[in-house]
């Protein structure tokens, strides 16, 4: 991976996440999309998602992959404002790769009312030499028959409220290009993780464990299962992301990813803009 340029790595990880978000929103049933105010727009080399009635407070309204192939400009940001306002959105989280153009994109964002927030780590690894992971839990691949428990574990593990999010998570099971795995304590599902295949990249998403079952290796084992599944599909890369850690806020997920061979490509800032819809 050292032979690749930073832009080549960025294109892999940003494009994979953008494709995952587009597919994820596309999997929502009409009822869930209406209840949550969900819309997705693929544009400018990336994707913009809107969840106007997001019970998490704004996590799912995001712009990803924009700025690599087209400069972040006043016109582009004004168009985003209009898009979100027309869709009753009240918050934009613009997740900007550090190789975005122009080089002074931060000045452009700030001039348009964006405030820099926390950072995420973007990670990448090639699909070979997946380490073995030991756990006392049983790891199984999941299908549509594992709903609604899959969505319930996902939302409980992330602390995401609301029945509509549970239903949306369950809508992914059994869909083309999606694979999901669960950790079981006997008959009880206690951890989950999903994978979306895009081109030759596996985008690893949604790793969550019930609080009372953490520390038993569920997420490392589920991640290894997804990596092995991606390798069996003859994909070349696995991409993922997680929040950056600080002294006050450690992130065990980041360490799990690095133990499984992921390398940090870069830190990516969240740029936030909030406004009242017209």
């Amino acid at each position: 991976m050292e032979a690749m340029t930073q832009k080549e790595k960025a294109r892999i990880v940003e494009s994979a996440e953008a494709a995952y978000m587009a597919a994820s929103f596309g999997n929502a049933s009409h009822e869930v999309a209406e209840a949550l105010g969900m819309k997705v727009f693929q544009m400018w080399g990336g994707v913009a998602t809107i969840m106007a009635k997001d019970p998490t407070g704004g996590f799912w309204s995001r712009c990803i992959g924009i700025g690599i192939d087209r400069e972040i400009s006043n016109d582009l940001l004004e168009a985003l404002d209009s898009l979100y306002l027309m869709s009753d959105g009240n918050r934009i989280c613009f997740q900007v790769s550090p190789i975005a153009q122009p080089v002074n994109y931060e000045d452009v964002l700030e001039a348009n009312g964006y405030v820099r927030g926390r950072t995420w780590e973007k990670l990448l690894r090639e699909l070979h030499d997946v380490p073995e992971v030991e756990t006392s839990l049983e790891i199984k691949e999941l299908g549509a028959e594992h709903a609604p428990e899959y969505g319930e574990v996902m939302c409980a593990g992330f602390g995401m409220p609301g029945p509509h999010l549970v239903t949306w998570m369950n809508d992914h099971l059994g869909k083309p290009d999606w694979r999901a795995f669960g950790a079981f304590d006997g008959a009880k599902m206690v951890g989950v993780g999903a994978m979306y295949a895009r081109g030759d990249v596996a985008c690893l998403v949604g790793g969550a464990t019930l609080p009372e079952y953490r520390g038993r290796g569920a997420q490392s084992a589920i991640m290894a299962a997804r990596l092995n599944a991606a390798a069996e599909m003859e994909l070349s890369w696995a991409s993922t992301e997680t929040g950056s850690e600080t002294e006050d806020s450690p992130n065990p997920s980041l360490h799990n990813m690095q133990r499984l061979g992921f390398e940090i490509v870069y830190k990516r800032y969240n740029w936030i803009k909030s406004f009242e819809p017209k």
Side-chain angles (χ1 to χ4, degrees):
M1 191 158 61
E2 287 72 14
M4 297 179 66
T5 67
Q6 188 78 342
K7 188 168 185 176
E8 288 170 333
K9 296 176 188 178
R11 195 176 296 280
I12 290 175
V13 296
E14 298 293 337
S15 296
E17 187 184 2
Y20 145 67
M21 284 291 285
S24 186
F25 269 60
N27 282 337
S29 66
H30 176 75
E31 292 76 14
V32 168
E34 284 290 313
L36 294 175
M38 297 173 67
K39 293 184 180 180
V40 58
F41 302 90
Q42 297 188 63
M43 59 187 67
W44 305 315
V47 66
T49 59
I50 300 169
M51 186 178 286
K53 303 172 186 176
D54 185 351
T56 71
F59 176 81
W60 293 106
S61 291
R62 298 161 56 193
C63 300
I64 304 167
I66 296 172
I68 297 176
D69 292 323
R70 174 174 171 174
E71 286 193 353
I72 298 172
S73 64
N74 292 330
D75 289 345
L76 184 152
L77 296 176
E78 288 172 6
L80 274 180
D81 278 5
S82 297
L83 192 65
Y84 275 70
L85 286 166
M86 287 189 298
S87 303
D88 296 325
N90 55 24
R91 180 182 186 271
I92 303 175
C93 179
F94 200 148
Q95 298 183 294
V96 189
S97 164
I99 66 162
Q101 298 296 317
V103 293
N104 67 330
Y105 70 83
E106 295 185 347
D107 296 335
V108 179
L109 287 166
E110 288 177 345
N112 282 271
Y114 284 80
V115 177
R116 190 165 66 178
R118 64 174 295 191
T119 61
W120 284 17
E121 307 288 347
K122 293 290 294 180
L123 301 99
L124 185 67
R125 66 156 289 165
E126 294 183 80
L127 282 169
H128 57 70
D129 300 327
V130 179
E132 293 186 9
V133 175
E134 293 186 3
T135 178
S136 59
L137 303 169
E138 183 180 5
I139 308 301
K140 301 179 184 178
E141 186 159 7
L142 307 179
E145 69 275 13
H146 291 97
E149 195 173 7
Y150 169 79
E152 290 170 351
V153 172
M154 180 78 76
C155 289
F158 280 114
M160 294 189 295
H164 297 302
L165 289 180
V166 171
T167 302
W168 180 35
M169 297 300 153
N170 288 320
D171 286 341
H172 295 69
L173 292 174
K175 291 294 194 301
D177 302 322
W178 288 85
R179 296 179 72 172
F181 293 83
F184 289 79
D185 183 16
K188 182 178 180 179
M189 188 187 302
V190 301
V192 294
M195 178 184 81
Y196 175 71
R198 188 257 189 193
D200 65 348
V201 183
C203 189
L204 273 56
V205 298
T209 305
L210 297 178
E212 62 271 29
Y213 285 90
R214 290 170 186 165
R216 294 180 59 179
Q219 280 310 308
S220 292
I222 291 172
M223 186 169 292
R226 288 180 284 175
L227 290 173
N228 282 317
E232 290 167 5
M233 294 168 65
E234 299 186 344
L235 305 182
S236 300
W237 302 94
S239 171
T240 193
E241 54 279 329
T242 189
S244 300
E245 68 176 3
T246 65
E247 290 184 3
D248 298 327
S249 181
N251 184 354
S253 293
L254 177 59
H255 299 286
N256 287 339
M257 294 169 180
Q258 291 175 307
R259 279 193 292 269
L260 267 292
F262 280 94
E263 298 178 13
I264 295 173
V265 178
Y266 49 70
K267 294 181 185 291
R268 184 182 68 186
Y269 274 102
N270 294 335
W271 288 84
I272 311 298
K273 183 172 184 178
S274 301
F275 44 77
E276 292 296 326
K278 296 180 181 178

